[in-house]
Amino acid sequence: MYLNEIDQWCCSKLKSALPQADVDCADIRTVNRARVTSSRAHFFAGIGGWELALRMAGWPQTAPVWTGSCPCQPFSSAGRRKGTADERHLWPEFRRLIDECRPPVVFGEQVASPDGRAWLDTVCADLEALDFAVAAADLCAASIGAPHIRQRLYWVAIANGERREELRLHLQQWQPRQAVAEAARRGAVGGVADAASPGRSPEERASEAQLPTRLPIELRGQDRAGDPWFDPEWLDCADGTRRPTQPGVFPLANGIPERVGRLKDLGNAIVPQIAATFIEATLWELQSERR
């Protein structure tokens, strides 16, 4: 696995969580084909949300895939809205690498502002010119039960022709989460559920197969008690409500580098549960084409 990220704090967390991966802590403008050492590659990798989403969706480890959530600041309504004039507009660099390396499938995400939708129009046109078929959906965090909206554009580009056929061959081993869970309940373990949970009961394996929700930096050696979706801390808000947030982020204070870095990167991260649902929809579509 190859991950590219410029933020040093994120890189340190990725290296700790994914010790076998090639974490390239560099500006994407310096990356070329020779540096991309794996067909499973994440750009603007952040804290690894796309990798978790792929695992949640059951994307086979041997199947090629690229992901990249280009910086949203140039197109966010909360920013200065410089758009393509912003130095953080890095889609041209990502497009360059896609053109050089020709991956069979690319997933991405962008803020769902009017400027973000205009950005997506350019992305679609560029990818179609490179002989990809492109699809997108406007999805929010509340759709999977999160206590906030976080509206984002999720998109996928699938190569046409021979690269598409090769991708289908790699994905033949994919099983939907429901099928994995049902097999675990019947005791027909093996593969994903059993490898993830040796010695567990069929019921426990089934539960884990359905919803592994932790980020990669929290996957190793922890149980569900540390999961932000199951054991939240509660934040008292000015409107009189209380909202859940991830455990361990308090105090919300400047001057504490570890916490500040963590909050910044959690704020910029995708919601893996949404991305996983989008990936699964793509997998279903690719399966339906074979029928």
Side-chain angles (χ1 to χ4, degrees), residues 27-43:
D27 190 322
I28 193 173
R29 287 169 286 201
T30 69
V31 177
N32 56 28
R33 181 174 182 174
R35 289 176 67 160
V36 182
T37 54
S38 174
S39 63
R40 191 182 184 103
H42 303 287
F43 298 85

Side-chain angles (χ1 to χ4, degrees), residues 147 234-244:
W234 291 86
L235 188 66
D236 292 314
C237 302
D239 61 2
T241 61
R242 301 186 76 224
R243 293 184 172 88

Side-chain angles (χ1 to χ4, degrees), residues 91-126:
W91 164 249
E93 294 298 327
F94 195 28
R95 179 201 177 281
R96 170 184 60 80
L97 281 170
I98 293 170
D99 190 17
E100 288 179 14
C101 301
R102 294 286 171 158
V105 58
V106 185
F107 288 97
E109 169 263 356
Q110 183 56 269
V111 64
S113 66
D115 291 342
R117 289 191 287 273
W119 175 91
L120 183 61
D121 288 341
T122 298
V123 168
C124 291
D126 285 350

Side-chain angles (χ1 to χ4, degrees), residues 70-91 110-111 113 115-116 119:
C70 292
C72 66
Q73 290 89 342
F75 309 101
S76 173
S77 58
R80 297 181 181 179
R81 300 185 64 181
K82 291 185 177 180
T84 57
D86 195 306
E87 64 179 6
R88 294 166 295 184
H89 171 48
L90 294 174
W91 164 249
Q110 183 56 269
V111 64
S113 66
D115 291 342
W119 175 91

Side-chain angles (χ1 to χ4, degrees), residues 6 16 21 58 65 108 165 195 200 243 255 261 284:
I6 195 172
S16 174
V65 60
E165 295 304 318
R200 300 292 185 89
R243 293 184 172 88
W284 277 113

Side-chain angles (χ1 to χ4, degrees), residues 96-244:
R96 170 184 60 80
L97 281 170
I98 293 170
D99 190 17
E100 288 179 14
C101 301
R102 294 286 171 158
V105 58
V106 185
F107 288 97
E109 169 263 356
Q110 183 56 269
V111 64
S113 66
D115 291 342
R117 289 191 287 273
W119 175 91
L120 183 61
D121 288 341
T122 298
V123 168
C124 291
D126 285 350
L127 290 168
E128 288 167 0
L130 296 177
D131 200 23
F132 285 88
V134 188
D138 187 342
L139 304 171
C140 69
S143 67
I144 48 86
H148 53 107
I149 298 174
R150 199 165 186 79
Q151 204 82 24
R152 293 292 186 270
L153 301 170
Y154 287 83
W155 58 267
V156 60
I158 303 173
N160 295 312
E162 292 183 3
R163 286 181 295 157
R164 193 186 195 95
E165 295 304 318
E166 292 172 1
L167 177 64
R168 284 204 196 101
L169 291 175
H170 280 288
L171 295 175
Q172 283 181 347
Q173 59 183 292
W174 175 68
Q175 294 185 66
R177 273 186 279 181
Q178 297 92 326
V180 174
E182 181 58 30
R185 288 192 187 95
R186 295 196 309 268
V189 297
V192 176
D194 194 39
S197 313
R200 300 292 185 89
S201 69
E203 292 76 14
E204 288 172 321
R205 287 192 292 266
S207 176
E208 292 187 2
Q210 291 182 78
L211 194 63
T213 56
R214 291 179 290 279
L215 291 170
I217 60 172
E218 298 168 336
L219 276 173
R220 302 167 66 207
Q222 294 192 21
D223 59 24
R224 295 179 79 89
D227 192 311
W229 297 84
F230 290 89
D231 184 25
E233 290 180 354
W234 291 86
L235 188 66
D236 292 314
C237 302
D239 61 2
T241 61
R242 301 186 76 224
R243 293 184 172 88

